[in-house]
Amino acid sequence: SMPALSLSKASSEITDMHAYVRDNFHYTMTLFRPPMGEFSERTLALTQSLGYKTVFWSFAYVDWNPKQQIGAEKASAKVVSGLHNGVVYLLHAVSKDNADILGSFIDTARGKGYEFTKMS
């Protein structure tokens, strides 16, 4: 929870991850998603001062626990039901269900006329 951290610790959390991603994946991060969606005015100001744009999601479900998956069929129905213009999905990489359905979900969304764009 970013608001629970001192500004110094929160800054270190962000800058250490930034350096790790840059050094290991040769990618410069510019977007920040607050863990658990928890933020405060001071953490929003901090991320902005570090050069980040804070991004929030409009769709999420309990997919972060690998031991509590709901199955590909239910997961697919759930994420498809969340489609709307401007939706920002939060899908965790540890979810086997998400990995199993991602390709077909993208195809389904595109078939319904939705487009995927890079956030900036």
Side-chain angles (χ1 to χ4, degrees):
S1 176
M2 296 302 282
L5 302 177
S6 69
L7 282 179
S8 175
K9 178 64 175 162
S11 179
S12 291
E13 291 279 327
I14 295 167
T15 57
D16 290 352
M17 178 59 74
H18 183 95
Y20 179 85
V21 170
R22 182 195 62 227
D23 295 347
N24 290 282
F25 300 102
H26 311 291
Y27 180 79
T28 300
M29 298 186 324
T30 59
L31 304 174
F32 178 75
R33 177 190 61 86
M36 300 179 290
E38 295 179 354
F39 66 95
S40 66
E41 287 185 25
R42 73 181 180 93
T43 59
L44 290 174
L46 172 66
T47 54
Q48 184 178 24
S49 75
L50 293 172
Y52 285 88
K53 178 180 178 182
T54 299
V55 177
F56 296 95
W57 61 91
S58 57
F59 178 94
Y61 75 109
V62 182
D63 65 341
W64 57 86
N65 186 338
K67 296 178 182 179
Q68 292 183 345
Q69 300 297 288
I70 61 175
E73 189 174 321
K74 287 182 182 176
S76 180
K78 189 172 282 283
V79 297
V80 168
S81 73
L83 280 168
H84 62 80
N85 288 333
V87 65
V88 177
Y89 279 91
L90 171 58
L91 300 174
H92 291 85
V94 297
S95 169
K96 180 181 181 326
D97 292 344
N98 290 342
D100 289 346
I101 68 167
L102 188 57
S104 64
F105 167 66
I106 291 170
D107 292 343
T108 297
R110 286 182 173 153
K112 292 179 178 282
Y114 292 96
E115 297 178 6
F116 292 85
T117 60
K118 181 179 176 182
M119 297 183 91
S120 57

